[in-house]
Amino acid sequence: MRATLTTCPYCGTGCNFYLLSDDKGRLTGIEPAGKHSTSRGQLCLKGWNAHAFVHHPERLTTPQIRIDGRLQSCSWEQALAETHMQLKRIAENHGPDSLMFLSSAKVSNEENFLMMKLARAGFGTNNIDHCARLCHSSTVTGLVETLGSGAMTNSLSCFNQTDLVFVIGSNTTEQHPLIGSRILQAQQRGAGLIVADSRKIQLAEHANLHLRHHNGTDVALINGMMRQILLDGLEDRNFIDKRTENFAALRDSLEAFTPQYVAGITGLKEHEITAAARLYAQAEKVMIVFAMGITQHTHGVDNVRALSNLALMTGNLGRPGTGINPLRGQNNVQGACDMGALPDVYSGYQRVADARTRLKFSAAWKKSLPEKPGLMATHAIEAAAAGQIRGMLIMGENPMLSEPNQKHVRMALKNLEFLAVIDIFPTETAQLADLVLPAACYAERDGTYTSTERRIQRGRKAVAPPGAARADWQILGDLLRRCGVPADYSSPAEIMEEIARLTPSYGGATYARLEQGESLQWPCPEPEHPGTAILHRDQCTRGKGRFSPTRYRPPQELPDEHYPFLLNTGRTAVHWHTGSMTRRSHLLEREEPQAYTEIHPQDAQKLNISERQMLRISSRRGTIEVSARLTERVPPGQIFIPFHYAEGAANVLTNNALDPESGIPEFKVCAVRVELC
Amino acid sequence: MDQQALLPQARLGEFVAFLAARQKLIGPVALGYNQYKFAEVTSLEELSLDYLPTILPPKKYFLPYHERLLSYDLSDGQGMEPVVEVEDITLFGLHTCDLAGIQCLNMVFSDHPRDLHYLTRKHHMTLIGLECTDYCDHYANCAMLRTHLPKGGYDLFMTEMNDHYYVDVNTYTGEVLVREADLFERVTPLALKELRSLRDAKKKIFQNELPIRYQDMPKLFDDTCDSEVWTQVGDKCLACGNCTNVCPTCYCFDMADEPELGLTRGHRVRIWDSCQHETFAEVAGGENFRGQRSERQRHRFNRKFHFPLERYKRVFCTGCGRCSRSCMAGIDLKETLNALIDERS
């Protein structure tokens, strides 16, 4: 039995575990790791089963090319030459900006770096993005404006020191179980807990206060709390004076948000709003924790701004046990953003519009680089539908299930002249591709991943990839060389050297340090730098923290007489996103094998629905069939459908209305009709 | 051959090297942050003999997490071949709680129908115990279950004394090891006296951690079946299965066929399962005997303290404290039992 220490491939918590393998090179199980700062001997259900999909017989093992409408096996040489040739042809005929590159929050930092190098240096376009667009693009946009950095400000160990945790729009015990457990432990040692969530999630059972405000009314709630804090004189004057700017504008913007007005919008009682404000402001150290419930709205950036205002107003920043803590979803979504798999920045959030930065990368890569920021993933789907994007390379993403309005996505992808997909399973997206390249999964390649607390950690190869599958960095390196860009890497460690040279915040990250057992939280600018546990300590990354006033805007589509229910979407505790891994893991699939909707018993009674009955759910964009689950977790008038299931895909229904600034879709609110099948 | 022997402490390194040269040697190693695991070692330096119970108990060697049981080939009839993957292993430095855990597993898998995979593997194990002279930490409840003392189930059992290890030789394999290592000395009267005083000292240190005898536990569970305590425990539980995965006596598994893509060939595997999972007790039609987390936690406690006492005349809790240590929600076994006892009185 061999034990290989690595990082979990699921959520952004970044737990470590040992992959156990036998002499025949087969994975035989998982053993929790002891030393990791968060996981210490514990794992969640997904973590315990993280080995289970690796040897699944449906793994892609050979490159496949579409001939006469069917995907057929081909050689690597043919597949790579064809990919390069097709993308090059489209770039030459229609301009480089007719290509789109979708990187992945599931692959390593090194691989994301190469993908953005391929888009920019290889094909001359900034059209690169990844699924952060669908999860925390609002966070990055909002927090960069107010603080100067879009990442989680504090560390997970801060839960040991905080006096109050304010969880808004995060079902933490199910989506980040180890972090959820730290919140439960904080509550058990006496820290306060406020949960703001329309669903009665598990943390709500333990909260001092559970605010069940209507989905999409967060700005009103938070502004109402802030108005009350000012009215009570509970703000941190000293912090506001010394460390922030634009306070007057914020104060003026809050006047309208009286408890009565806010109660009218949110459906809360007036005293709940004042109680939340006082609980929050009276605690010495408060950690704000948020996730998709805040970001996935057409006003997602405003939601983030409002939370940032709340933290700044009460001085909850730059100290242990405080901060604004977006919980990143994928295991390397933080890293994919850090590596510049985004349309407007290179690695380390260095802007492509900045001439000096461009010159630096241009000199390193010996290619002239495009200046105009590229397209966001969500806009690229629209552009593909309109025929402006003609070629796409997608690595480790499944937009067919993850993007809103599936019918529209299918039409857009089918409209492409050329679609190449690099993945480990024949996903719904890969099935539309002209060319499929089989990749190694997390257990079969080396690399680094950056967790939600900005912690750079090693992933290690435990077993060989199946068949002819190759690591993504090898595939991308080959494509780069075909484009005439220097990319002679013998290992991911060499790619990290290039990242460190070009990326100030990763300047001190080396494999040698990581191998010695260090795990580095960026910024880590120099080889001797110990890393940074807490951001914005003496001043914010941008200098002064900026108050950014927000006004309340309702969601784009609300229930009406034709579509009377509000549809909320999300995940379950046992499945991961589009299910390509967890639905192929025996024990996890057994837990939740079927698409379902949560519906309140009162609504069920009105419509004569019983438990497990099949329902037809329709929105303006499509119809799906799912089974009914009667539960008081959802409030009356709301249904909740997890988006994992291809056979009952919630994203057939969801609205592809986007936040104007971050381009994030409104996954958390749309209007649907519920009928018996 | 005497049934006891002495190993000079200075020669422990040689003994470890002897064992490692003989066959694969497994022992406790430190992972940092007071966490340990059983792993392959070749020398004394790699071992951490003063250790807290490891994250996973030794059951991982007896009942692998993911085990192939048979391979099948349907291309010509119903061809099936058993797969038994075993290797000779010496487990070194096992605490008495973990030896008790292995004894529990032995009883279960020897029971009808006998589990030949388990039993075959068990016969390839050499077990060397190591006595605890003090509690590992406050999570343990071994005195309640009398598992702080050696009760067999080992080949050799070592007790650290001033200059020597006192070694109890329990099996023929143990005798062979002592003879072939050629490092052991005869037991002296002085050593026997030292052992007696050590055990006397242990009596004062290890006292029942709970105000109840284990024999009275079934009655306690009968009396508190509808207790509010279970609801509170259920409200906290995250249904992650950490408690059952790390338990030295939890052995529930699920079976699955892993067919190859052509569907004619494949393997049958068994995988660790957990009664804490939502669907563990779900049956056809979607009914669930234990749909609530509170019911599943209550079931887990009953499966340790109640049901096995009736079936095997033995408590299946070894007092190791792993379930409390590893619980993400802070559910503590001793706290829960105390709450039940308080409520009843």
Side-chain angles (χ1 to χ4, degrees), chain A residues 31 43 48 586 590-591, chain B residues 60 65 237 242 254 273 279:
Chain A
E31 183 162 6
L43 285 175
W48 278 109
H586 172 73
R590 189 191 71 185
E591 288 293 285
Chain B
K60 69 178 179 179
Y65 190 110
C237 176
N242 271 307
D254 196 10
D273 203 344
T279 53

Side-chain angles (χ1 to χ4, degrees), chain A residues 226-290:
Chain A
M226 281 192 284
R227 182 185 174 279
Q228 189 64 39
I229 288 169
L230 292 180
L231 198 68
D232 291 343
L234 293 171
E235 75 274 21
D236 187 336
R237 266 284 142 206
N238 190 28
F239 190 90
I240 294 171
D241 292 343
K242 290 205 175 117
R243 294 212 31 197
T244 68
E245 60 187 32
N246 207 30
F247 179 63
L250 174 78
R251 191 181 47 213
D252 296 345
S253 76
L254 296 176
E255 264 168 41
F257 290 88
T258 60
Q260 195 185 7
Y261 174 65
V262 173
I265 294 172
T266 58
L268 295 170
K269 299 203 170 54
E270 290 178 32
H271 68 83
E272 291 180 304
I273 298 151
T274 46
R278 285 171 187 157
L279 253 177
Y280 181 95
Q282 281 165 356
E284 176 64 20
K285 290 175 286 188
V286 187
M287 290 177 81
I288 295 176
V289 171
F290 71 93

Side-chain angles (χ1 to χ4, degrees), chain B residues 302-318:
Chain B
N302 272 293
R303 288 287 268 125
K304 297 297 145 197
F305 293 101
H306 187 177
F307 306 150
L309 256 181
E310 287 167 6
R311 179 157 182 174
Y312 297 111
K313 304 282 179 282
R314 184 176 181 124
V315 179
F316 267 39
C317 176
T318 70

Side-chain angles (χ1 to χ4, degrees), chain A residues 1 18 26 28 31 35 40 42-43 45 48 51 57 181 185 188 202 206 586-587 590-591 612, chain B residues 24 31 33 60 65-66 68 85 235-238 242 245 254 259 272-273 277-279 285 328-329:
Chain A
M1 198 191 299
Y18 294 91
R26 262 190 349 237
T28 55
E31 183 162 6
K35 203 172 173 184
R40 284 193 198 166
Q42 303 173 342
L43 285 175
L45 185 52
W48 278 109
H51 66 295
S181 91
Q185 286 164 15
Q188 285 168 18
Q202 192 179 9
H206 302 268
H586 172 73
L587 279 184
R590 189 191 71 185
E591 288 293 285
R612 293 196 295 279
Chain B
K24 187 179 271 191
L31 296 173
Y33 296 99
K60 69 178 179 179
Y65 190 110
H66 188 115
R68 272 191 191 184
E85 292 170 338
D235 284 347
K236 285 199 222 170
C237 176
L238 300 176
N242 271 307
N245 280 348
D254 196 10
W272 287 4
D273 203 344
H277 295 167
E278 309 277 346
T279 53
M328 296 210 287

